[in-house]
Amino acid sequence: MTDLATRDALEVPRLDVAAVRADFPILARQVHGRPLVYLDNAATSQTPRQVIEVFDDYYGRYNANIHRGLHTLADEATAAYEGTRETVRAFLGAAETREIVFTRGTTEAINLVAGAWGRANLKAGDEVLISRLEHHSNIVPWQLLSRELGFAIKVIPVDERGVLDLDAYARLFTERTRLVAVNHVSNAFGTVNPVREMARIAHEHGARILVDGAQAAPHQRVDVRDIDADFYAFSGHKVYGPTGAGVLYGKASLLEAMPPWQGGGEMIATVSFEHETTFADIPHKFEAGTPAVAEVIALGAALRWVSGVGLEAIGAWEAQLLARATERVSRIDGLRILGTAPDKAGVLSFVVDGAHSQDIGLLIDQLGVAIRTGHHCAQPLLHHFGVDATCRASFAAYNTLEEVDLFAEALERVISMVR
Ligand code: PMP
């Protein structure tokens, strides 16, 4: 099996892992005297120097507030910021740059849709469908709004592999279903959801669909027009970019019809005490206040980096890493993998009989291996599977098969210590 994984890896020559790793200064560091094996990529991926350098360049050369200034620095900052909008448009396959709204991340993007679209379009008696696989950030904004407006939230069930039940999904629709909010890839289990098919079914019933792409954007090519997503959200820090910058894609017609979400500078056309205040055109209507200028510019550098390596190559390589890791940990006595969908991104969630996930996480860190333990902000999913926490290893373009082996060996050692 190991040989098979290695051979398959050799059949994906497009990703040069050594070259990829050379872009990440952090990968050279040691943790507790051992080389870092970073397998917490679903929480935050590491940052290549092409992204890190943006901050030096921006603050050293052209730091300025954007849009309003007439001076050279403001012009340069505005051009770089707006240039990222075009990079994101191309990255998502969107039709127009005005469909790209910058946010702090996925959480803020979903809150924007809830606060602006949801508040204007949902009322008592309406229904919103979300899935059992959702991250809290695609659950709680709808719960908060539903308390206020009185619409119902219905949950799309999963089977024992962590795969959404599409027949049950189709049966949940009624004439009051207004919105489906679903992730593209589950952060807890790695399940890849058939969002294109789900969008088709939602649209057949006259409902809108919001896709949380936080875990998809780093691993596969996303085409919002092919999916026919009404809204699509992702975070910079999970796609080799900085924290503090993320994206909401929305179809222009929807964004145009939505009221503003936050009020302030940048999002207005005219402000008056005598007449109605009027608002800027999209996307600026949704970008109140000074945005995270450097972070957005750095997000552009991250997306160019990812596209340069190639998402197909990254996805194929991560599939090799996942296959190797799955095979290695499956040999461990009493270890149970949660999330065994046939279509899975590079996430391996597991529990071990007689060993607390937290103990495993703490002890494996002593061996230089960073994994995540806990509920992964997906408590309804974990509770459904009868656990409070799992250990999760998640992979990125710079991980190697050797690191997977180091992880598996460290895990075996740690388990023998705690049992
Ligand atoms: N959705 C999913 C599927 C996620 O994995 C995460 C981050 N763990 C989020 C949403 C929230 O992303 P952020 O914290 O960057 O807003």
Side-chain angles (χ1 to χ4, degrees):
M1 190 68 191
T2 302
D3 288 339
L4 197 90
T6 311
R7 200 195 60 212
D8 286 352
L10 293 174
E11 285 169 10
V12 188
R14 288 171 297 152
L15 191 138
D16 178 348
V17 189
V20 165
R21 288 181 73 80
D23 283 340
F24 291 82
I26 206 168
L27 297 179
R29 78 161 279 186
Q30 305 234 316
V31 170
H32 303 300
R34 291 166 191 269
L36 168 68
V37 175
Y38 186 79
L39 299 178
D40 193 18
N41 296 289
T44 285
S45 54
Q46 296 302 342
T47 317
R49 66 187 157 71
Q50 292 87 338
V51 173
I52 299 170
E53 283 164 5
V54 167
F55 289 91
D56 241 25
D57 189 37
Y58 174 78
Y59 286 110
R61 254 182 7 93
Y62 64 105
N63 175 27
N65 211 324
I66 54 168
H67 294 139
R68 282 160 292 186
L70 288 177
H71 57 82
T72 302
L73 268 54
D75 266 357
E76 290 177 9
T78 304
Y81 179 90
E82 290 301 328
T84 293
R85 220 186 287 277
E86 169 54 24
T87 305
V88 174
R89 186 208 60 74
F91 184 77
L92 290 179
E96 303 176 68
T97 50
R98 66 195 184 114
E99 298 180 312
I100 306 301
V101 179
F102 291 119
T103 65
R104 276 198 305 121
T106 307
T107 303
E108 190 174 79
I110 295 170
N111 277 277
L112 193 166
V113 176
W117 184 89
R119 203 177 294 284
N121 289 281
L122 297 172
K123 53 182 180 303
D126 286 345
E127 293 165 2
V128 169
L129 306 187
I130 63 178
S131 90
R132 170 77 56 188
L133 286 171
E134 294 319 300
H135 186 279
H136 295 165
S137 64
N138 201 18
I139 300 174
V140 183
W142 304 113
Q143 290 178 328
L144 290 173
L145 194 63
S146 124
R147 269 190 214 170
E148 216 179 291
L149 303 180
F151 59 85
I153 295 173
K154 291 162 93 177
V155 181
I156 309 160
V158 287
D159 69 13
E160 67 292 344
R161 301 166 301 168
V163 174
L164 290 183
D165 180 340
L166 271 203
D167 293 333
Y169 166 66
R171 284 196 302 271
L172 282 175
F173 284 87
T174 71
E175 73 285 355
R176 297 305 299 268
T177 310
R178 300 283 176 253
L179 178 75
V180 175
V182 68
N183 61 37
H184 196 166
V185 173
S186 152
N187 67 308
F189 284 7
T191 312
V192 180
N193 292 317
V195 287
R196 190 166 177 265
E197 174 70 356
M198 294 179 81
R200 191 186 59 73
I201 295 170
H203 292 147
E204 261 175 27
H205 290 86
R208 299 293 178 190
I209 185 163
L210 158 75
V211 181
D212 166 358
Q215 297 293 341
H219 307 294
Q220 63 184 82
R221 238 171 59 71
V222 172
D223 185 327
V224 289
R225 276 187 289 176
D226 180 57
I227 295 168
D228 200 13
D230 295 300
F231 300 103
Y232 196 98
F234 74 93
S235 298
H237 69 100
K238 294 184 198 284
V239 62
Y240 309 98
T243 54
V247 168
L248 173 68
Y249 158 83
K251 286 181 181 166
S253 57
L254 291 174
L255 292 179
E256 273 177 336
M258 279 156 60
W261 179 48
Q262 294 180 329
E266 295 285 338
M267 51 75 71
I268 52 88
T270 60
V271 178
S272 162
F273 289 127
E274 288 75 34
H275 310 287
E276 284 267 325
T277 288
T278 56
F279 304 114
D281 290 335
I282 62 167
H284 305 289
K285 182 169 75 174
F286 297 107
E287 293 180 8
T290 303
V293 181
E295 285 79 358
V296 165
I297 298 169
L299 171 61
L303 298 183
R304 283 191 293 278
W305 183 88
V306 170
S307 304
V309 177
L311 274 163
E312 283 79 8
I314 292 174
W317 177 241
E318 289 169 348
Q320 299 295 322
L321 298 168
L322 178 66
R324 171 85 142 240
T326 304
E327 189 271 323
R328 285 291 309 253
V329 307
S330 299
R331 293 185 208 158
I332 298 174
D333 212 26
L335 183 145
R336 177 160 67 103
I337 295 173
L338 285 95
T340 50
D343 195 4
K344 240 181 102 164
V347 169
L348 184 65
S349 238
F350 57 89
V351 289
V352 182
D353 284 348
H356 282 296
S357 296
Q358 208 180 347
D359 294 341
I360 293 176
L362 284 170
L363 287 169
I364 206 165
D365 174 64
Q366 295 294 314
L367 302 175
V369 181
I371 61 170
R372 181 141 299 239
T373 57
H375 55 60
H376 316 299
C377 298
Q379 282 183 336
L381 178 65
L382 265 59
H383 289 165
H384 182 72
F385 280 78
V387 296
D388 287 330
T390 74
C391 297
R392 182 187 70 187
S394 52
F395 306 102
Y398 41 70
N399 290 128
T400 64
L401 293 168
E402 292 72 28
E403 286 184 315
V404 169
D405 290 344
L406 281 172
F407 153 67
E409 282 152 25
L411 183 62
E412 280 166 4
R413 228 176 111 185
V414 162
I415 291 170
S416 70
M417 284 158 71
V418 295
R419 262 188 184 152

